[in-house]
Amino acid sequence: MYEPIRTKSVHSTMAGNPTTDFPHRSREEELDIQLAGHLAALLAVTDELRATAPSEDLDLAAERLAGQVARLRDGRRPARAVASGGQQKVAALHQRAHALAGRALVVAASRADTAAAILAAERMDAHAAAQAESQELTGVV
């Protein structure tokens, strides 16, 4: 009733082993990449906060974040953000940093990376406290 297929499928491989056609990453490698990305994004926001409202806490956090990103990227140091010069609201930066730290915490917990999870949780607490403090100062509840 149907004519048989006369050509090889485009999905088959020449070597006969479909797993060698392209590189595969393990789940751990994927989580490392994802965690490094979240921490690098958090580092960029931290650098922006440091330029807007400098503090020793942010300096220390930036160095620790850079160290964790370098560890996850096999020693390659992350690119550091340069202050954009724009006067973004500090509260908005803290809110963005809090969200990024939360994402990093979720990935760090799923890959059982205690050091990164502790750092992310500390940053979440610091940014939540900064948000609460700015709300108290402005009288917004």
Side-chain angles (χ1 to χ4, degrees), residues 69-92:
V69 173
R71 178 183 62 87
L72 291 165
R73 291 183 176 167
D74 297 324
R76 290 176 295 168
R77 303 290 292 173
R80 299 296 297 265
V82 178
S84 63
Q87 282 291 20
Q88 293 185 353
K89 292 179 71 176
V90 174

Side-chain angles (χ1 to χ4, degrees), residues 4-17:
I5 298 173
R6 295 181 187 186
T7 60
K8 283 191 164 195
S9 169
V10 294
H11 300 289
S12 67
T13 64
M14 297 296 284
N17 186 359

Side-chain angles (χ1 to χ4, degrees), residues 6-121:
R6 295 181 187 186
T7 60
K8 283 191 164 195
S9 169
V10 294
H11 300 289
S12 67
T13 64
M14 297 296 284
N17 186 359
T19 60
T20 60
D21 281 355
F22 52 91
H24 290 279
R25 288 189 284 251
S26 68
R27 180 176 187 275
E28 290 78 22
E29 290 170 323
E30 289 292 339
L31 288 173
D32 283 350
I33 292 167
Q34 192 175 35
L35 180 57
H38 289 313
L39 291 176
L42 179 57
L43 176 60
V45 174
T46 301
D47 282 341
E48 188 71 28
L49 273 167
R50 289 174 56 219
T52 306
S55 77
E56 285 185 31
D57 178 52
L58 290 173
D59 293 341
L60 178 62
E63 288 308 311
R64 290 178 62 200
L65 286 166
Q68 287 295 320
V69 173
R71 178 183 62 87
L72 291 165
R73 291 183 176 167
D74 297 324
R76 290 176 295 168
R77 303 290 292 173
R80 299 296 297 265
V82 178
S84 63
Q87 282 291 20
Q88 293 185 353
K89 292 179 71 176
V90 174
L93 289 171
H94 281 296
Q95 184 176 9
R96 187 179 331 148
H98 184 269
L100 288 166
R103 290 183 192 124
L105 178 59
V106 168
V107 177
S110 70
R111 75 178 289 280
D113 187 335
T114 306
I118 290 170
L119 177 58

Side-chain angles (χ1 to χ4, degrees), residues 112-131:
D113 187 335
T114 306
I118 290 170
L119 177 58
E122 288 173 354
R123 297 317 308 151
M124 281 185 72
D125 290 345
H127 293 295
Q131 284 178 314

